[in-house]
Amino acid sequence: MPKILGTGRPPIPQDVLIKTLYDNRWLCCVCRDAERPVIVHHIKSWAESRDHSPANLAVLCSIHHGEAHSTHALELTLAADRLKSEKAMWEQEVRRIDPLAVFKSTQIMSCQWWYFNHLRVFEIAEHVGVKITQLKGFQAALRNGVCDEDGYLCTREGLWYVGQAPSHGLYLYMSGMLRAAMDHACVRNISDDLDRGTLDILVIPGDLVFVQGSYHFTDMPSDGSGADMVRGRRRVNKVEITFVFDRNEATSGSARTEWLLGVHTLGCLLRVNKLQRDQNGVLCLGATVLAIRSAHEELKSRMYEIGLYQSGLIGQHDDDEEFEGFDPDDDENDGGNGESLCS
């Protein structure tokens, strides 16, 4: 058995470690205190389980890590069952935080949606079972002829938002539909995660992501259909995000003539289609844009970003330095219980 199992504990695979930390927002799943350093803890010890899977890993602060290894006669200890429950509740809440923040910020009068990909948003809403005829704005959209009695959008050529009443009804209808659809989906805000060392671990084709930052919009040649096709591009940290859309679906005249032209700082809700590196090492993310909105400063900064740089998980390119000073096989570092320290 010693020959089979070996004498040391292999490190947690980096892709598993990164996803575990991100899925917990780099916070202890029990107290969620951003001021405390964290430890990736094996719920069932490595010595018993030989299990590095995400289901067996929990992010704990140093205090709750101590509780996970303590037994008190009159106090509730952080036993495995309770730890699994805390982990599940926190990771579920994390999945709600990004889309909730995106939509709550649109309640501010200065922030609004500049564009909807009407067909794709409708497809997602229908797929996840949204009751579209009960959405806010449906009755106004129906009265103004922008949808039928079943909620299906009417075919349109040229500009989608023309006339005050039809435009207002369609805007309310689509913003409600998008919100309802995202309530059933996991949307990851990767605005601060555009680093080629982690992004292709965090995101796979089919994921929904939100990216806020500076975009460059370029007109595409006319194909004679009447569509006003535009290519959107954001490039930073050797990551390039591209998508195309029809500017005729912009929600206002100012969106068409100002915000979706040239270079502007905006937030884009995207469905990832492909990720691949080019010959220069640039990670190219091809996407379908679902919606574009005005920027909001709270969506760009993330409280765990400083922790990522301090740990070395992003901002460095030498794998041997990513956990400098930490030996995963050294019992003095992990107390002999097989945890990874990440502060």
Side-chain angles (χ1 to χ4, degrees):
M1 288 299 293
K3 289 182 179 180
I4 294 174
L5 299 176
T7 57
R9 179 183 69 82
I12 299 172
Q14 188 180 22
D15 59 339
V16 175
L17 181 60
I18 290 173
K19 282 190 66 65
T20 300
L21 291 166
Y22 272 87
D23 286 348
N24 288 266
R25 281 209 166 197
W26 209 270
L27 299 175
C28 173
C29 66
V30 180
C31 67
R32 305 158 194 182
D33 187 339
E35 299 299 318
R36 295 177 179 176
V38 294
I39 299 169
V40 178
H41 166 76
H42 287 76
I43 298 173
K44 186 175 183 179
S45 71
W46 169 260
E48 296 179 66
S49 67
R50 295 299 195 262
D51 183 7
H52 277 332
S53 70
N56 193 44
L57 299 176
V59 181
L60 298 175
C61 66
S62 55
I63 294 175
H64 287 103
H65 177 243
E67 287 191 10
H69 290 286
S70 301
T71 301
H72 306 284
L74 300 178
E75 295 183 30
L76 178 64
T77 58
L78 194 56
D81 288 345
R82 181 189 167 201
L83 183 52
K84 288 180 181 179
S85 176
E86 295 283 358
K87 168 186 163 75
M89 287 190 295
W90 175 232
E91 290 185 351
Q92 182 178 9
E93 179 65 15
V94 167
R95 287 192 292 270
R96 293 184 59 253
I97 288 174
D98 282 345
L100 184 62
V102 170
F103 282 95
K104 284 186 69 175
S105 61
T106 58
Q107 296 173 4
I108 302 173
M109 290 301 294
S110 60
C111 294
Q112 57 187 299
W113 295 103
W114 294 124
Y115 163 85
F116 293 114
N117 187 333
H118 296 77
L119 177 60
R120 299 298 173 229
V121 172
F122 188 91
E123 286 178 346
I124 293 174
E126 190 174 40
H127 178 73
V128 299
V130 173
K131 296 181 179 179
I132 55 179
T133 58
Q134 297 180 14
L135 294 173
K136 182 179 181 181
F138 165 70
Q139 292 297 333
L142 178 62
R143 286 195 305 271
N144 287 280
V146 298
C147 72
D148 62 21
E149 293 182 352
D150 295 321
Y152 289 94
L153 296 170
C154 297
T155 302
R156 285 175 170 253
E157 294 183 0
L159 304 181
W160 280 66
Y161 290 79
V162 179
Q164 184 174 355
S167 296
H168 182 66
L170 181 57
Y171 183 90
L172 287 177
Y173 185 42
M174 290 306 302
S175 57
M177 187 184 301
L178 183 63
R179 172 65 185 269
M182 295 305 100
D183 283 344
H184 294 79
C186 177
V187 180
R188 188 187 298 274
N189 182 357
I190 61 170
S191 300
D192 297 320
D193 304 328
L194 300 189
D195 182 278
R196 61 194 178 106
T198 59
L199 190 60
D200 52 357
I201 295 174
L202 297 173
V203 178
I204 60 173
D207 281 354
L208 301 180
V209 298
F210 180 83
V211 183
Q212 181 169 297
S214 178
Y215 287 87
H216 184 234
F217 298 108
T218 307
D219 291 341
M220 300 179 67
S222 174
D223 61 2
S225 67
D228 185 7
M229 300 305 296
V230 186
R231 182 178 300 279
R233 181 173 69 93
R234 171 159 171 74
R235 179 165 177 155
V236 62
N237 296 334
K238 287 195 172 183
V239 175
E240 183 176 70
I241 299 171
T242 59
F243 52 85
V244 297
F245 65 97
D246 185 355
R247 194 187 280 121
N248 285 335
E249 295 183 75
T251 60
S252 68
S254 59
R256 290 192 304 273
T257 59
E258 181 176 356
W259 300 113
L260 302 179
L261 288 171
V263 179
H264 286 283
T265 298
L266 298 167
C268 293
L269 182 63
L270 307 164
R271 182 170 61 194
V272 178
N273 296 328
K274 63 179 181 179
L275 291 102
Q276 62 184 30
R277 299 189 192 281
D278 65 15
Q279 59 185 5
N280 297 317
V282 175
L283 181 61
C284 301
L285 189 155
T288 297
V289 62
L290 301 176
I292 301 174
R293 52 152 296 150
S294 51
H296 190 265
E297 61 181 9
E298 292 183 3
L299 298 175
K300 184 67 174 68
S301 60
R302 305 292 292 277
M303 61 185 173
Y304 56 69
E305 186 179 14
I306 186 63
L308 297 175
Y309 282 98
Q310 289 175 342
S311 73
L313 280 178
I314 64 175
Q316 299 185 28
H317 304 292
D318 187 340
D319 291 341
D320 293 335
E321 296 179 356
E322 289 190 341
F323 289 94
E324 185 176 357
F326 170 65
D327 181 354
D329 297 330
D330 187 346
D331 288 347
E332 292 182 0
N333 283 325
D334 65 19
N337 294 294
E339 288 81 28
S340 293
L341 308 183
C342 311
S343 60

